[in-house]
Amino acid sequence: GRPELGIEDFLRVYEGDFNNEKQLLKQMVQYSRKLHRRIDLPDLGKHCFFVKEQTDTGNGMQYRIRIADVQEVQENNSDRFVVDHYELTAASMLEKEMSEEECIDIVERLVVDYDLERVTTGTVEFTRKPGTRMFDVETSYTHCQQRETTSTEIQGTISPEGWYVKAIFRDSDGEIAHSTELFMDKVA
């Protein structure tokens, strides 16, 4: 049958615990985990998520904790969603050893205007592939470091089974420096 359209279906696909343990050919990323848990943060938005990412590219585990605010975009009857990301102004208040439940308990008590800062390059767009529960994922951003500007483009899909993304990293001349593909299964 036709999938249920709308934001609730997207939220069910977006929410979960994802990792690349089953990915056979691993390029740059040896291990990747992405956890999306719904949280109650009405001062920020109606559909908010605690996002914890863990990545190991061979130099040890790197952690990133953010808050995602999911918004539905109404246009031409298409299912499109925009996710803005926020970082904690005092990110060190959440230690990597803390459980997700401990982190979420702290996050849900934050003062939105004081404790969170919008990541201006952190907007991700999701568009439903017609007639499916699969969504195209797209984002891009630039990095400026020591007068060099590099960019990252990320494209892929998210479905009830998990994420597939391809990231392309460009140098300051716009040439592809490297790229990587990531397959993350939904494990919970």
Side-chain angles (χ1 to χ4, degrees), residues 28-42:
M28 292 170 36
V29 179
Q30 302 306 307
Y31 176 77
S32 182
R33 177 181 180 227
K34 187 184 272 276
L35 175 73
H36 292 173
R37 293 262 309 267
R38 287 189 204 207
I39 59 171
D40 187 27
L41 209 54

Side-chain angles (χ1 to χ4, degrees), residues 24 26 29 41 69 76 81 87 98 107 112 125 128 150 161-162 178:
L24 297 177
K26 294 182 177 152
V29 179
L41 209 54
D69 175 27
N76 304 336
F81 306 93
E87 290 180 337
M98 292 173 71
V107 165
V112 169
E125 293 189 19
R128 183 186 301 274
T150 60
E161 291 76 39
H178 55 272

Side-chain angles (χ1 to χ4, degrees), residues 7 11 26 39 41 53 60 78 108 115 128 160:
I7 194 161
L11 297 175
K26 294 182 177 152
I39 59 171
L41 209 54
E53 297 173 346
S78 73
E108 288 185 331
D115 292 320
R128 183 186 301 274

Side-chain angles (χ1 to χ4, degrees), residues 64-83:
R64 183 164 70 172
I65 292 176
R66 298 186 295 178
I67 307 305
D69 175 27
V70 179
Q71 301 144 46
E72 189 168 16
V73 177
Q74 299 291 341
E75 69 177 29
N76 304 336
N77 242 2
S78 73
D79 263 0
R80 205 164 77 81
F81 306 93
V82 172
V83 178

